[in-house]
Amino acid sequence: MESKTIIANLANLLQSCIDKKAHLLGKLLHGYILRNGLSADTFLLNRLVEFYCKCGHTRTARHVFDKIPHRNIYSWHAMLDGYCKGSNLKDAHELFAEMPDRNTVSWNTLISALVQTGFEQKALDVYGMMNLEGFVPTRFTLASVLSACGGLGDVGCGRECHGVAIKIGLDKNMYVGNALLYMYAKCRSIEDAIRAFGDLPGPNEVSFTAMMGMLAESDQVEEAFSMFRSMIRTGIRIDCVSLSSVLGVCASGGAGEFCDSSETYGFPSYMHGQQIHGLTVKLGFERDLHLINSLLDMYAKKGDMDNAEIIFSYLPEKSVVSWNIMIGGYGQRHQTDKAVEYMRRMQSQGFEPDEVTYINMLAACIKTGHIETAHQIFDRMVRPSLSSWHAMLSGYSQSKNYKEAIRLFREMQFRGVQPDRTALAIVLSSCAGMGLLEGGKQVHAASVRAMFHTDVYVASGLIGMYSKCNKIEMAICSFDRLPEMDIVCWNSMIAGLSLNYLEKEAFTLFKQMLRKGMLSNQFSYTMILSCCAKLSSLYQGRQIHAHIEKDGYVNDVFVGSSLINMYSKCGDVDRARQYFDEMPCKNIVTWNEMIHGYAQHGCGDEAVTLYEDMIESGQEPDSITFVAVLTACSHSGLVDMGTRIFNSMQLEHGVEPLLDHYTCVVDALGRAGRFDEAEVLIDNMPYKDDPIIWEVLLSACRVHANVSLARRAAEELFCLDPHNSAPYVLVANIYSSLGRWEEAKVVRQIMSDKRVLKNPGYSWVEHKNRMQVFKVDDDFRIAVDAFEEANVEMSCFNG
């Protein structure tokens, strides 16, 4: 009897050590057990195993476990649980395989540990073995398995588990019901999630919080707020967690200077955030650090840094999270100086920057173009995280400093950091930007080694890189080897074909994409409209326009701009203007396309009027705008207007004139025969060594038979571009038009001696969906016959 009392007391003392993680006291008790001959007692040794596991000493726990003379199921579970909680999954698997007897708890322990450590697929495999061995899942099993399905985005497997829950009567269990809700939310299966929520007998705060989070992530902010109101009406207790969740909804409702487009019952989500702030104070939660950080985050993400400053200054205690929110908020508003100031204050008050701090600082510097400052911060990091490498690689790539991005990628490899899909895609984009084929091939090899070459994200980068390096066959090869393709891969391949002047093949691929049931997006339509414009195929463009209206992209500003470009280049400028006027939202590209459309068709007055309307609307012109309007002035003989607009570029709009702008003005002056002004402009411009400007002047000299200036222009071109046939042909034509045949013959002889060849011109004819291309020197009858016999299928929609 006395022995049982001693064992009971020792067990209680060990339980106290377990609860408090009192390692030293537990070791003393272990010694007492050994000295008093109690090492054969399974009950005490089980407690010792549990104690050592709780203190993180799994090796000692395993040593005790191995000494237990008569292990029971609790002994095995104690050791298994210790391995699982210590994330020692290899030993956990081996121990699980050795177990003489398993029950549902054994399976649940292993499945839960696999899910919590991110091995969702392995967890599902173990669950499948559990079913094969005839074990009936419990609510804990289903909750873990549903979490694994959500993590993998495997809604099919989740639905199977849902069916099992219904079959064994656990679908109404709150624990399983909330797990179902989270699974459908993670899989973005909104209708199923709403149905699962409706099936719950009594939703609790966990259920409502999950629904609010899901609705907010799917941009259904109004519905998320409605869910919060329903939660209040139902009488569910409002706690700090639910308030933090709804503040997250407020933050996700759009950012900006109090001009949120996401409205609920007529009120912007920013105002809802202020109401939640009031409710927080009313319920007495203003000292809860997690909740106040959520409030701080809401104001920062909405761009209201003034209120964020006030809340931050009154925080009873600050955490690294609080400082990070302020740094991130100022970074989002491109106020790098304030972000740097907060980081310094943070360090001066004894807070060590963490990974989030550095990433926020890097993002702030990169957004404002302070790449060198970002690199200095990056260099101070002892062990930069993968996200930090991503931020730096992305910053250099976005600023078109491709060489530095590639150098940084190599440094990343030298440091032993394994690149992931994001890093590979960024560096492939940099290789494409530089046209660096050999570098791109090396990255391709690295992606194969890392098993990312079939990842759709990396594959899109490979397709883009090979396309821009004029290796379209390799791009097609990368595309064809993909086991699965998303819309980004299709778009990359279509863009690559178009970039390599394979518009017909791009149309064929677009047609194939539609046949496979892939839904086009705005980028697909933008690219295929560009193909129509390049081919001047109005027939195809109209059919694409019909599909755009059908798919609901007619109001997309980028698609709209592409439609204007297509109609203009296909000769229907009136339809382009009609569509332009119908567009609800226009950006600088939209205005530029329409002005350029008028320029292409010699509608100078309309182009100038539209340019003036653009400025009156508040849209600032850019360098492309001026190229378009100056081209229009040149083609329509509006020389004085063109000169006035050219002179206003820098004075009124702060746009530095470039070569294209000077070319337009020289062309306008040359067409008007005002050669003295053209010469003065050329002599004073910074681009006089560019052959284009002299070619334009030479062309004007031919029209006005200005032989002396034509000679000067031709001599400049012979020096700058000796193998260009244009100056020889133009000078010879000037002499021919003046009847100076001998001089014309001399020019052509020089051209022959220098082996300068004139490339033949090409023409094409389109009739409905048939097109024939022929050279200018083809026999006319052959060309007509070829056109009549051609059956080139150019339509994406005709069988």
Side-chain angles (χ1 to χ4, degrees), residues 79-113:
M79 195 64 241
L80 181 65
D81 190 56
Y83 279 140
C84 289
K85 286 181 177 174
S87 299
N88 196 342
L89 297 181
K90 182 176 179 292
D91 288 333
H93 265 289
E94 290 176 359
L95 187 75
F96 184 80
E98 293 172 12
M99 289 179 73
D101 295 302
R102 303 186 191 112
N103 59 16
T104 310
V105 175
S106 318
W107 292 96
N108 288 348
T109 303
L110 185 59
I111 291 169
S112 176

Side-chain angles (χ1 to χ4, degrees), residues 263-282:
E263 297 193 355
T264 308
Y265 302 109
F267 297 95
S269 62
Y270 172 77
M271 295 178 68
H272 284 289
Q274 291 181 310
Q275 290 174 348
I276 301 301
H277 188 175
L279 187 59
T280 299
V281 175
K282 181 180 178 181

Side-chain angles (χ1 to χ4, degrees), residues 104 156 219 300-301 320 347 467 483 491 537 583 620 756 764 777 795:
T104 310
D219 295 327
K301 283 183 177 171
V320 175
Q347 291 173 303
S467 298
N491 287 347
S537 179
M583 285 182 70
E620 273 297 315
V756 178
W764 64 89
D777 57 352
S795 176

